[in-house]
Amino acid sequence: MRAKVSIIGAGMVGASIADRLAEKNIADIVLVDIVEGLPQGKALDMWQSGAVRAFETKLVGTQNYEDTAGSQIVAITAGVPRKPGMSRDDLLFTNMKIVKEVVENVVKYSPDCILIMITNPLDAMTQLALHTSGFPRNRVMGMSGILDTARFRTFLAEALGVSVRDVHAMVLGGHGDQMVPLPRLANVNGIPVTELLPKETIDRIVERTIKGGGEIVALLKAGSAYYAPGAAVAEMIEAILLDEKRVLPCCVYLDGEYGIKGVCAGVPVKLGKNGVEEIVEIKLLPEELEALRRSAEAVRELVRKMEIPC
Ligand code: TXD
């Protein structure tokens, strides 16, 4: 039997996840949205694209959570994106209500699923999903680190004039202005980028990475990024369904790892069939660890505003 993945919120990111996942041919997909006809129309269109793109993935759209029953993975994008001038944190109270209701519905029909959160502010919404679902922490995670790292790798590859496929890097911390790109660990197939680029160039790239989401919001004027986020979530889903044991930066609940307790933030994790199978604790320099902890504390402030334990 094919795996079943549901995606809640069939807007820009939700549809982009579905489209990227559909062509992987590894799961059937249910798209849910409150807007009548929207998930149905997009699902039908993507399903029909299989004839041209050569996949068998079946996609359906619905307003009804019963259709999501028994999903192995549920990705949640429901909520509103930011507008130019807004921070992700400005979305907290609007998206909190939506995410709480969505998670309650999802859990009712798929009590054994793995939840992947996408809605912003990402880290706070991941913690809300963990709290609302009552799931163990290996089954609740957020996507942001792969996206932030993709931005970092892209800008590094451009500055180096090399293929982005050969540029490896990691961005940790919360998905906000306090995220922590780690230039010390960035490399071109093992060659440290710190030996290949001047410090000023790296500093500029770090800054652009941190503001990468805002740069796109300012250009689009309505809505935020969705191609790279969609591809990032599809990569996580693939890693879980195919039990790949990929090591990727994801947002997870930390219980003492990196000296951070009781809050969700982005760290390297091993993704396999059980979801987050391991939190990988890499040795950080004191200033890197300090930056990661500061970022986690910024998440904790948001979580407190939602009045959930942290
Ligand atoms: O890295 C990341 N995690 C992110 C997060 C990268 C990009 C975008 N990020 C956030 O994802 C963004 O800030 C938003 O909070 C979400 C969704 O962004 P998207 O660009 O997809 O927004 P859209 O196009 O407005 O789509 C949201 C859909 C829309 O169709 C609504 O009708 C639907 O969500 N929606 C709901 N669906 C189901 N149930 C409820 N209650 C609901 N409320 C809204």
Side-chain angles (χ1 to χ4, degrees):
M1 208 177 74
R2 288 169 74 90
K4 179 171 178 179
V5 173
S6 293
I7 300 169
I8 320 299
M12 302 313 283
V13 179
S16 172
I17 299 168
D19 196 47
R20 291 308 311 268
L21 184 62
E23 66 190 7
K24 291 184 189 289
N25 217 357
I26 54 174
D28 288 332
I29 300 170
V30 180
L31 269 176
V32 181
D33 203 288
I34 42 169
V35 179
E36 291 267 336
L38 178 81
Q40 284 89 343
K42 289 192 181 184
L44 197 54
D45 187 13
M46 280 187 245
W47 180 38
Q48 292 163 357
S49 79
V52 186
R53 296 153 81 197
F55 59 71
E56 286 83 32
T57 306
K58 178 80 200 287
L59 296 107
V60 294
T62 181
Q63 272 69 52
N64 190 344
Y65 281 90
E66 265 175 55
D67 298 325
T68 67
S71 299
Q72 275 92 338
I73 300 180
V74 179
I76 299 181
T77 75
V80 295
R82 53 188 172 142
K83 298 192 175 68
M86 280 173 97
S87 86
R88 295 178 180 93
D89 298 356
D90 294 334
L91 304 171
L92 183 73
F93 292 111
T94 311
N95 284 349
M96 174 184 147
K97 291 192 198 83
I98 296 171
V99 164
K100 186 169 181 298
E101 182 201 303
V102 166
V103 171
E104 283 166 357
N105 280 313
V106 164
V107 166
K108 199 156 122 198
Y109 292 100
S110 301
D112 301 319
C113 74
I114 289 170
L115 285 173
I116 303 181
M117 300 304 301
I118 297 100
T119 309
N120 272 325
L122 188 271
D123 310 271
M125 292 303 112
T126 304
Q127 191 137 354
L128 176 62
L130 181 75
H131 179 72
T132 307
S133 65
F135 284 3
R137 67 171 175 162
N138 65 301
R139 289 204 280 128
V140 183
M141 66 194 86
M143 188 293 293
S144 62
I146 301 174
L147 171 65
D148 297 327
T149 300
R151 289 174 175 152
F152 192 33
R153 289 171 56 205
T154 302
F155 301 145
L156 285 170
E158 185 193 35
L160 289 158
V162 302
S163 164
V164 72
R165 282 186 285 159
D166 292 329
V167 178
H168 307 281
M170 195 82 88
V171 178
L172 306 184
H175 186 49
D177 294 344
Q178 311 226 37
M179 71 177 74
V180 188
L182 294 171
R184 183 178 63 87
L185 299 180
N187 66 83
V188 181
N189 283 344
I191 311 161
V193 299
T194 46
E195 287 176 19
L196 300 172
L197 288 173
K199 185 174 178 310
E200 309 77 67
T201 307
I202 294 178
D203 288 348
R204 196 167 30 79
I205 289 173
V206 164
E207 191 59 22
R208 190 173 177 200
T209 299
I210 292 172
K211 302 207 166 110
E215 184 179 351
I216 292 171
V217 170
L219 288 165
L220 293 178
K221 292 178 187 74
S224 50
Y226 50 95
Y227 291 114
V233 177
E235 185 176 48
M236 288 169 73
I237 294 173
E238 184 175 34
I240 295 168
L241 288 181
L242 303 187
D243 193 23
E244 289 178 331
K245 318 289 187 200
R246 296 284 311 275
V247 176
L248 298 165
C250 297
C251 174
V252 284
Y253 182 83
L254 297 171
D255 190 22
E257 296 84 2
Y258 292 96
I260 300 165
K261 205 172 164 63
V263 72
C264 290
V267 292
V269 304
K270 191 166 84 182
L271 285 188
K273 64 178 183 317
N274 301 311
V276 175
E277 299 194 342
E278 188 186 329
I279 293 175
V280 181
E281 279 196 84
I282 48 176
K283 209 164 172 216
L284 295 177
L285 296 176
E287 58 270 29
E288 293 166 340
L289 199 54
E290 183 50 38
L292 180 58
R293 288 179 183 157
R294 255 203 316 275
S295 182
E297 287 317 305
V299 176
R300 199 189 300 276
E301 264 178 50
L302 279 188
V303 173
R304 287 213 174 102
K305 286 189 189 159
M306 295 192 294
E307 295 177 0
I308 61 176
C310 61

